[in-house]
Amino acid sequence: MSQKGTHPDLITYSLLLKSCIRSHNYQLGHLVHHRLTQSGLELDSVILNSLISLYSKCGDWQQAHEIFESMGNKRDLVSWSALISCYANNEKAFEAISAFFDMLECGFYPNEYCFTGVFRACSNKENISLGKIIFGFLLKTGYFESDVCVGCALIDMFVKGNGDLESAYKVFDRMPDRNVVTWTLMITRFQQLGFSRDAVDLFLDMVLSGYVPDRFTLSGVVSACAEMGLLSLGRQFHCLVMKSGLDLDVCVGCSLVDMYAKCVADGSVDDARKVFDRMPVHNVMSWTAIITGYVQSGGCDREAIELFLEMVQGQVKPNHFTFSSVLKACANLSDIWLGEQVYALVVKMRLASINCVGNSLISMYSRCGNMENARKAFDVLFEKNLVSYNTIVNAYAKSLNSEEAFELFNEIEGAGTGVNAFTFASLLSGASSIGAIGKGEQIHSRILKSGFKSNLHICNALISMYSRCGNIEAAFQVFNEMGDGNVISWTSMITGFAKHGFATRALETFHKMLEAGVSPNEVTYIAVLSACSHVGLISEGLKHFKSMKVEHGIVPRMEHYACVVDLLGRSGHLEEAMELVNSMPFKADALVLRTFLGACRVHGNMDLGKHAAEIILEQDPHDPAAYILLSNLHASAGQWEEVAEIRKKMKERNLTKEAGCSWIEVENKVHKFYVGDTSHPQAQEIYDELDQLALKIKELGYIPSTDFVLHDVEEEQKEQYLFQHSEKIAVAYGFISTSTSRPIRVFKNLRVCGDCHTAFKYFSIVRRKEIVLRDANRFHHFKDGTCSCNDYW
């Protein structure tokens, strides 16, 4: 028409604009608008409304607003609905709601499109209350039960506004006319809010009602199976996908990859990879799904990195979720160099400011032992959310830097970010790792005030905190008051009793667990076997070891064998322990052999000890623990030449012994001491207290056990060395710094020295105070001259 000099009329232009909108050809739509402007035609409301829709669709809400403002008296109901939808679609919620109320003031009565647009604008926490008011207005109009789009917008408003699935489902239930989109929306919202079982049930109702699911429906219901870990049901849905001819669809494929990666019990990603490989086209979602699947499966981080490199070399660009998973893979591999290379690409693609990437970077640095860079990564985050705070708090807690963790907790509260169960669990973990019971009690108080008292994860963390900080009765009180616990709750309590040497209570709790219908897991049996080991219940321990597979189908792992080796070795049955090591269905690792070597050291069996050490060093010539245990074995036998030879080998291999240290919490501050430590401001008072204690306990019959001084020096010097041990210094500081009747709680990173164990029994008589000591293996409660371990440790 243009080439022949014929000018289109308004009807032709209207048809052209609508064609541009429907085909998403917005560039051509702009050209049509330009021709319209040059045509000199007077534009009517139909054309102007189409122009508003055009600019709304292409994201230019300012141009749409200008056109609407220029219309004057030509505005009609379609103009208002187009503007409201424009604002809602372009995340201008305030403007959309304002336009809705302006329309009412101008005397226009809203139609279904106006309601749909304004409900979309109210689909957030800020505007949900206004949305409910407008909903009341809607009920009077009759549109609620007559228009599918209005119903869908309402479902989303209730779900996105305040997670109100109940109201959303009421809307869905009252809709007389539903289509596949409506069913899919409700199924998806159930799945996204964690109600996966309801999503599957609703899907079955949909199929029975005669509706044919589309790719989005199937994607949502497969994702629900992934969340529930139902592999069998997921496979059935996979069959349905195949029958529906949607097996090559990228959206469904992503959900299937995710489902197979999450649901397999053995950690295999073979099925997920098969689905991925069969997809003809890959997008960023499918690549991210398979990479994440490899990372989450455990032990496949190298494969995840290789897939990421393949993705980068192709045509698909990674997004922030991809980078988040890849950084987790680097963290799992402790490969800080590779992690920094990946982050350099993140910065290049301008994704560094996104929270999930920054949070993964914090985690990567902390797990690689670089807390300085982890803190820098946290500090440079443009907008910190609760996950960011939780990540860095958890990182400090795991690095035994609870002071920083607690300072950040105060910062969270000051920033008004709010805390959740994970924050409190991380702080409790930080307190328990260093035995800071004062800080743990403060956090417990905050928990009660915050309304998290009944939260299962927090209750489990409290049990662990009180138990690991030496107050087993407080742990038991939390356990009794928590109501229905899960397997973690029961296992935490059994572990607590076992570590404190209360084997009878541990086994009683285990039997109550079974009576309550809670099935034990691998960790539960480690706790049960440890309880038997700590008090020498050999027959009881062996009975549980044999029954774990028969009665509960739990195949013993390396840790279970280590417990039984400890059970036999600790009680002096070294030959039987060695027979068990040789009969294991897999090769004994360093954990099992070090346990056996430690038992040889306790019972002075040089031949078996040397044999165990040889096997360990054959597996790993750079294992410092094996050298140290063997050195101590020779030292206890007075074989100083052999000790010197072992220390020479360690020096040649640049191997160092972990320095023994002990610490105590006084007035919410942790005080750490090393052997012969004089750095403390009250060092003189501490050593004066030790001198007085030495005199008094000798009067009661204490004789220094100089055999525990593993150095070739004179007896008098050995005695001096004994009273410079870190645990004695910490206990002495506890005596001079506390006046209450509460027990003194001391923690040590290594096994307690035998002489210190004897001395503490006398200390408890002299000072009439209970001393609770946690060493690397267990707790010792010293009271009135006896220890809870009954000298079996």
Side-chain angles (χ1 to χ4, degrees):
M1 288 174 70
S2 296
Q3 287 172 355
K4 290 181 179 180
T6 305
H7 295 288
D9 58 11
L10 287 178
I11 296 174
T12 309
Y13 275 118
S14 178
L15 289 170
L16 279 170
L17 283 171
K18 287 175 181 176
S19 296
C20 293
I21 292 168
R22 286 169 184 158
S23 63
H24 306 289
N25 195 335
Y26 305 127
Q27 188 174 359
L28 190 59
H30 291 162
L31 182 60
V32 172
H33 186 195
H34 179 67
R35 289 291 182 92
L36 259 172
T37 306
Q38 291 180 331
S39 70
L41 294 169
E42 185 179 351
L43 307 186
D44 60 14
S45 60
V46 175
I47 289 284
L48 292 167
N49 292 339
S50 294
L51 286 170
I52 293 172
S53 295
L54 171 73
Y55 286 106
S56 169
K57 295 285 186 183
C58 64
D60 192 350
W61 64 271
Q62 294 99 331
Q63 185 66 37
H65 173 78
E66 286 179 16
I67 293 168
F68 178 82
E69 288 295 319
S70 70
M71 290 178 71
N73 294 330
K74 293 179 183 178
R75 295 173 193 159
D76 56 16
L77 184 58
V78 178
S79 314
W80 284 102
S81 66
L83 184 68
I84 293 166
S85 296
C86 170
Y87 285 138
N89 293 338
N90 288 281
E91 298 181 2
K92 295 293 175 182
F94 175 78
E95 288 82 354
I97 297 167
S98 298
F100 180 83
F101 287 114
D102 288 344
M103 177 190 70
L104 295 178
E105 287 183 8
C106 291
F108 288 94
Y109 200 77
N111 61 13
E112 63 269 34
Y113 303 108
C114 298
F115 280 118
T116 301
V118 77
F119 285 138
R120 279 207 303 272
C122 293
S123 297
N124 51 61
K125 291 179 180 178
E126 292 76 22
N127 299 315
I128 181 66
S129 56
L130 279 172
K132 289 178 179 178
I133 293 170
I134 298 169
F135 177 49
F137 176 41
L138 169 74
L139 292 174
K140 299 176 183 179
T141 65
Y143 285 121
F144 171 52
E145 294 179 347
S146 65
D147 190 85
V148 171
C149 292
V150 174
C152 289
L154 274 169
I155 290 170
D156 255 0
M157 183 188 79
F158 283 116
V159 171
K160 292 180 178 178
N162 58 354
D164 186 359
L165 262 176
E166 186 179 352
S167 296
Y169 187 74
K170 283 180 181 177
V171 170
F172 172 81
D173 201 38
R174 284 185 58 179
M175 292 172 68
D177 295 318
R178 301 170 188 156
N179 56 18
V180 174
V181 175
T182 316
W183 283 96
T184 301
L185 176 65
M186 198 67 240
I187 289 166
T188 305
R189 294 301 175 251
F190 268 126
Q191 182 265 321
Q192 288 172 343
L193 289 186
F195 294 87
S196 299
R197 172 61 65 185
D198 297 286
V200 172
D201 291 342
L202 194 61
F203 175 83
L204 298 177
D205 289 342
M206 173 187 176
V207 174
L208 292 172
S209 299
Y211 293 92
V212 179
D214 63 10
R215 64 194 188 108
F216 299 111
T217 324
L218 289 166
S219 178
V221 79
V222 168
S223 295
C225 292
E227 294 305 315
M228 292 188 288
L230 297 177
L231 179 61
S232 176
L233 185 60
R235 282 180 170 150
Q236 291 179 53
F237 282 123
H238 192 176
C239 290
L240 183 58
V241 167
M242 302 282 285
K243 290 177 181 178
S244 303
L246 294 168
D247 51 306
L248 300 181
D249 180 81
V250 68
C251 178
V252 179
C254 290
S255 297
L256 285 168
V257 169
D258 184 56
M259 185 273 293
Y260 279 115
K262 285 180 177 175
C263 291
V264 287
D266 60 355
S268 170
V269 288
D270 290 346
D271 288 336
R273 185 60 185 266
K274 285 176 185 176
V275 174
F276 177 81
D277 288 339
R278 287 174 184 169
M279 293 169 67
V281 179
H282 291 296
N283 61 10
V284 65
M285 291 188 297
S286 60
W287 279 106
T288 302
I290 191 65
I291 290 168
T292 304
Y294 272 105
V295 174
Q296 291 176 344
S297 67
C300 296
D301 300 292
R302 288 289 175 199
E303 290 87 343
I305 299 294
E306 288 169 8
L307 277 166
F308 172 72
L309 295 175
E310 188 180 336
M311 175 188 183
V312 172
Q313 288 165 3
Q315 299 298 315
V316 181
K317 289 185 178 180
N319 64 11
H320 49 292
F321 294 116
T322 322
F323 282 118
S324 179
S325 290
V326 174
L327 286 169
K328 286 174 186 174
C330 297
N332 293 339
L333 294 167
S334 297
D335 194 335
I336 197 168
W337 180 85
L338 183 61
E340 288 179 337
Q341 299 301 306
V342 171
Y343 187 64
L345 185 57
V346 170
V347 174
K348 188 177 180 180
M349 294 182 65
R350 299 182 178 181
L351 296 172
S353 62
I354 299 176
N355 277 3
C356 70
V357 178
N359 296 339
S360 294
L361 185 68
I362 294 166
S363 181
M364 188 271 292
Y365 274 124
S366 66
R367 290 178 61 190
C368 292
N370 192 332
M371 280 308 301
E372 184 180 351
N373 280 350
R375 183 56 190 256
K376 285 179 182 177
F378 171 77
D379 289 337
V380 299
L381 276 177
F382 181 71
E383 189 175 324
K384 301 175 179 70
N385 60 12
L386 183 55
V387 177
S388 314
Y389 277 105
N390 283 347
T391 304
I392 191 68
V393 166
N394 191 49
Y396 275 124
K398 287 183 176 177
S399 67
L400 305 186
N401 192 341
S402 66
E403 291 294 334
E404 288 287 352
F406 284 101
E407 283 180 18
L408 278 164
F409 173 70
N410 294 329
E411 187 178 319
I412 296 172
E413 290 193 321
T417 308
V419 294
N420 62 8
F422 186 84
T423 319
F424 283 121
S426 296
L427 289 166
L428 289 169
S429 174
S432 62
S433 63
I434 60 170
I437 194 167
K439 284 188 167 61
E441 288 170 341
Q442 287 181 6
I443 294 301
H444 192 175
S445 175
R446 299 276 186 95
I447 288 167
L448 296 176
K449 292 175 182 176
S450 303
F452 285 102
K453 180 183 178 181
S454 58
N455 182 278
L456 184 62
H457 300 295
I458 287 182
C459 287
N460 292 342
L462 280 167
I463 293 169
S464 179
M465 184 276 293
Y466 278 118
S467 171
R468 294 182 66 196
C469 287
N471 193 340
I472 191 65
E473 297 307 326
F476 191 52
Q477 184 178 343
V478 173
F479 176 76
N480 281 333
E481 292 175 355
M482 70 183 293
D484 294 329
N486 59 7
V487 64
I488 298 172
S489 318
W490 287 94
T491 301
S492 297
M493 199 64 249
I494 295 166
T495 302
F497 282 135
K499 288 288 185 184
H500 284 263
F502 303 136
T504 303
R505 295 177 74 179
L507 295 174
E508 284 174 357
T509 305
F510 176 65
H511 291 306
K512 287 179 181 177
M513 173 185 177
L514 299 179
E515 289 169 5
V518 180
S519 298
N521 59 18
E522 292 92 342
V523 184
T524 314
Y525 267 103
I526 291 172
V528 169
L529 294 171
S530 295
C532 296
S533 174
H534 285 314
V535 296
L537 296 175
I538 299 173
S539 58
E540 184 82 8
L542 293 174
K543 182 188 79 173
H544 286 297
F545 180 67
K546 291 172 183 175
S547 69
M548 60 187 286
K549 184 177 181 181
V550 176
E551 295 182 12
H552 298 286
I554 299 171
V555 179
R557 299 187 322 207
M558 194 73 74
E559 294 89 342
H560 300 106
Y561 279 98
C563 288
V564 180
V565 168
D566 186 49
L567 172 69
L568 294 169
R570 195 190 294 262
S571 58
H573 295 76
L574 296 173
E575 297 290 345
E576 291 92 328
M578 196 66 215
E579 286 176 17
L580 179 66
V581 170
N582 293 329
S583 65
M584 286 168 58
F586 32 71
K587 189 176 181 181
D589 68 358
L591 171 67
V592 174
L593 293 167
R594 280 200 298 264
T595 301
F596 180 75
L597 178 52
C600 293
R601 182 247 180 273
V602 171
H603 295 284
N605 192 315
M606 186 66 68
D607 293 335
L608 286 176
K610 288 174 71 175
H611 177 62
E614 286 169 4
I615 299 173
I616 298 172
L617 295 174
E618 187 178 316
Q619 291 180 6
D620 182 6
H622 295 88
D623 186 339
Y627 285 107
I628 291 160
L629 285 167
L630 187 59
S631 172
N632 291 347
L633 181 60
H634 283 296
S636 60
Q639 298 172 347
W640 301 112
E641 289 183 7
E642 287 80 355
V643 171
E645 183 63 29
I646 291 169
R647 289 177 178 170
K648 181 182 176 183
K649 286 180 181 178
M650 288 183 69
K651 191 172 182 181
E652 288 171 353
R653 289 171 170 77
N654 200 27
L655 301 176
T656 56
K657 175 185 175 182
E658 182 184 2
C661 70
S662 302
W663 61 94
I664 182 173
E665 183 194 32
V666 176
E667 295 181 356
N668 287 327
K669 185 178 179 182
V670 175
H671 301 260
K672 186 179 283 189
F673 301 94
Y674 292 89
V675 176
D677 203 333
T678 57
S679 62
H680 196 275
Q682 293 176 265
Q684 187 59 52
E685 296 173 57
I686 293 169
Y687 281 103
D688 288 343
E689 174 69 8
L690 280 172
D691 289 341
Q692 291 181 34
L693 286 167
L695 292 171
K696 290 183 178 180
I697 64 176
K698 283 180 181 178
E699 292 173 3
L700 295 176
Y702 161 77
I703 300 172
S705 303
T706 54
D707 290 344
F708 290 100
V709 178
L710 303 178
H711 297 276
D712 188 15
V713 294
E714 297 297 325
E715 286 296 310
E716 187 177 343
Q717 194 173 352
K718 284 184 178 182
E719 190 174 330
Q720 290 176 355
Y721 280 165
L722 288 174
F723 271 80
Q724 292 177 4
H725 282 190
S726 64
E727 55 263 59
K728 284 194 180 84
I729 298 172
V731 169
Y733 179 67
F735 283 143
I736 66 171
S737 303
T738 58
S739 57
T740 63
S741 58
R742 296 183 70 177
I744 289 173
R745 293 184 171 88
V746 171
F747 303 83
K748 187 178 181 182
N749 63 332
L750 305 177
R751 191 174 186 267
V752 63
C753 151
D755 180 77
C756 290
H757 188 272
T758 302
F760 290 165
K761 288 190 284 186
Y762 285 102
F763 284 3
S764 67
I765 298 172
V766 171
R767 290 291 180 253
R768 296 181 181 178
K769 263 196 174 187
E770 182 182 358
I771 302 168
V772 179
L773 172 69
R774 186 184 88 188
D775 69 4
N777 297 324
R778 59 170 296 161
F779 276 90
H780 299 267
H781 295 252
F782 301 94
K783 189 175 182 180
D784 300 327
T786 62
C787 179
S788 59
C789 72
N790 293 317
D791 296 337
Y792 187 86
W793 55 283

